[in-house]
Amino acid sequence: MPEQSSPLDLAEGDPFGPHNLPYGVFSTPDRAGERRVGVRIGNHVLDAGAAALALGSPYAQLLAQPDLMALLSAGRTAWRDVRRALTAWVTVPAHRTDIEPLLHPLDTVTLHLPYRVADYVDFYASEHHATNVGRIFRPDGDALTPNWKHLPIGYHGRAGTVVVSGTDVVRPAGQRKAPADPAPVFGPSVKLDIEAEVGFVVGTGSEHGTPVPLADFREHVFGLSLLNDWSARDIQAWEYVPLGPFLGKSFATSVSAWVTPLEALDAARTAPPARDFPLLPYLDDADEDEPGGYDLRLSVAINGQVVAEPPFSTMYWTAAQQLAQMTVNGASLRTGDLYGSGTISGAEPAQRGSLLELTWNGRDPLELPEGKRTFLEDGDTVTITAWAPGPDGTRVGLGEVTGRIVPTA
């Protein structure tokens, strides 16, 4: 009989090869109540805690856990050392006897939110997105607000409604008032939208009262995930003056089940767009040792039909600048903090990361196989995928984030 291939023998170019190794949390049908830290390799999940115990690893205490919190809080040196160990476990032939029984096919496991979200902040960092939104809502005024190129604009969201990919999203209800309406009405949102984003996951916290400088970004941020910041545009438009987003955003934010460590994305580092405004010193990254941007290629699909391909490399404000802005007033970081990049949009119409832009606030409907779309209908499924350049010409796959819209409860 022919020798059976190992799950560790991946096809050439697999975006989830040993150069990637994103972290997640999973359970299996036979142990449904037990959540375990897993690492994705190809189309399998390695039980990382069981592997550490089987191999007598000193990192078993960090990996034999029900979530990623212990690993996140361990700090950058531990993150690097654990990643090196995992790479050896899935590549060194001598480990195969121990490792192969601990691999679970991806389609047989349940994936869970991999960390406990402490605080959630969302930014507004794409110049193309901000310009488009300004032109839609202020056609006779300046597209960008006066502060936009001086600081990364953001708001605090609701950490308790961050959900893992695959969770249904209930259409939110709330007050809305169109400009011509005599009074507000209450009911389900009729302008439910998506925002294709990247979320950054904080590992080690910081001391209250001590800002985090640009140079310390990698000391605090463990990795990133794809993120969909669902938005009820009609609710948002009525409520957001003067204090900003509230119920139009807080009903759900979906994140990928996989967190890609920053080390896996070293080959994707790239310079951000040229700045045409001088920056205050705490945001000025001109002399930083490594470029602050990431070359991530996103794809947004509605019911399987690709509607946009936003490029993350065009983001005006970097993740390091966002972290510096978040803490410059002395606000502290906590393990499990999550912050979103803001909607990612490029210069071309097909690179816009929201339906607000893609349809120009409903003026130009999208043509999908099942009918036209201005905003999301009940039953629609939105899936965001992405990849980044990896070492030696490889690709690093980012775990998808998907959600299906269900009717108002």
Side-chain angles (χ1 to χ4, degrees):
M1 294 181 63
E3 184 177 346
Q4 191 172 16
S5 64
S6 166
L8 296 174
D9 294 327
L10 304 180
E12 185 176 355
D14 192 307
F16 291 97
H19 61 289
N20 189 345
L21 302 180
Y23 294 90
V25 168
F26 74 103
S27 60
T28 54
D30 60 322
R31 296 159 61 183
E34 183 181 351
R35 298 187 180 190
R36 292 169 272 170
V37 171
V39 173
R40 181 169 176 178
I41 177 76
N43 287 319
H44 285 74
V45 181
L46 172 65
D47 186 334
L53 290 169
L55 295 172
S57 168
Y59 309 116
Q61 188 67 27
L62 296 180
L63 297 174
Q65 298 283 340
D67 57 35
L68 295 180
M69 299 301 282
L71 179 61
L72 294 180
S73 65
R76 188 178 179 186
T77 298
W79 305 339
R80 181 193 62 218
D81 293 346
V82 169
R83 179 171 168 78
R84 287 176 180 170
L86 285 163
T87 303
W89 298 349
V90 299
T91 57
V92 175
H95 293 318
R96 286 200 169 191
T97 301
D98 292 308
I99 293 299
E100 286 178 348
L102 304 176
L103 292 165
H104 301 268
L106 190 58
D107 59 6
T108 67
V109 306
T110 299
L111 298 173
H112 305 278
L113 191 64
Y115 50 92
R116 299 190 299 276
V117 180
D119 281 314
Y120 171 54
V121 172
D122 195 40
F123 283 95
Y124 190 50
S126 163
E127 183 175 3
H128 298 295
H129 172 68
T131 299
N132 288 336
V133 171
R135 288 172 176 164
I136 289 170
F137 292 114
R138 297 184 298 275
D140 299 322
D142 292 334
L144 296 178
T145 54
N147 60 350
W148 200 90
K149 288 197 173 181
H150 293 278
L151 57 87
I153 297 172
Y155 70 93
H156 282 267
R158 194 175 185 90
T161 57
V162 176
V163 296
V164 72
S165 175
T167 303
D168 286 346
V169 175
V170 177
R171 180 178 296 274
Q175 284 195 32
R176 62 180 190 271
K177 180 185 178 298
D181 292 343
V185 298
F186 181 88
S189 170
V190 296
K191 286 189 172 184
L192 186 54
D193 200 358
I194 62 177
E195 290 193 347
E197 303 191 22
V198 170
F200 292 85
V201 182
V202 171
T204 54
S206 63
E207 185 178 349
H208 189 196
T210 304
V212 175
L214 292 172
D216 285 357
F217 166 70
R218 291 179 68 136
E219 299 298 322
H220 292 277
V221 174
F222 174 79
L224 57 79
S225 299
L226 294 178
L227 183 150
N228 188 347
D229 182 34
W230 307 93
S231 300
R233 299 298 186 188
D234 44 355
I235 297 172
Q236 180 185 358
W238 175 234
E239 72 179 4
Y240 87 108
V241 178
L243 293 182
F246 185 32
L247 301 183
K249 296 277 194 176
S250 63
F251 57 96
T253 300
S254 296
V255 293
S256 171
W258 300 104
V259 182
T260 302
L262 292 186
E263 272 197 67
L265 295 166
D266 283 346
R269 298 303 294 260
T270 188
R275 311 268 167 56
D276 50 8
F277 268 67
L279 299 179
L280 291 172
Y282 78 97
L283 292 172
D284 189 351
D285 59 358
D287 296 326
E288 292 299 304
D289 293 336
E290 58 185 2
Y294 283 94
D295 181 9
L296 312 178
R297 326 286 179 88
L298 281 72
S299 180
V300 181
I302 300 176
N303 303 329
Q305 176 79 26
V306 174
V307 297
E309 295 185 319
F312 191 75
S313 59
T314 63
M315 298 296 276
Y316 189 89
W317 295 106
T318 70
Q321 289 170 322
Q322 291 170 336
L323 190 74
Q325 179 66 25
M326 242 162 58
T327 61
V328 72
N329 67 343
S332 56
L333 299 174
R334 294 190 292 170
T335 297
D337 280 356
L338 172 68
Y339 65 100
S341 62
T343 305
I344 305 160
S345 293
E348 304 299 323
Q351 296 177 332
R352 295 169 179 169
S354 69
L355 288 172
L356 177 67
E357 299 166 88
L358 286 167
T359 71
W360 213 250
N361 199 23
R363 185 193 69 187
D364 306 319
L366 295 179
E367 296 281 355
L368 298 180
E370 58 273 22
K372 293 183 178 181
R373 288 291 182 280
T374 53
F375 292 93
L376 296 174
E377 303 288 343
D378 291 346
D380 284 348
T381 296
V382 179
T383 302
I384 304 172
T385 56
W387 63 273
D392 303 318
T394 58
R395 288 187 176 189
V396 176
L398 303 186
E400 71 172 35
V401 58
T402 187
R404 178 173 64 102
I405 304 302
V406 298
T408 304

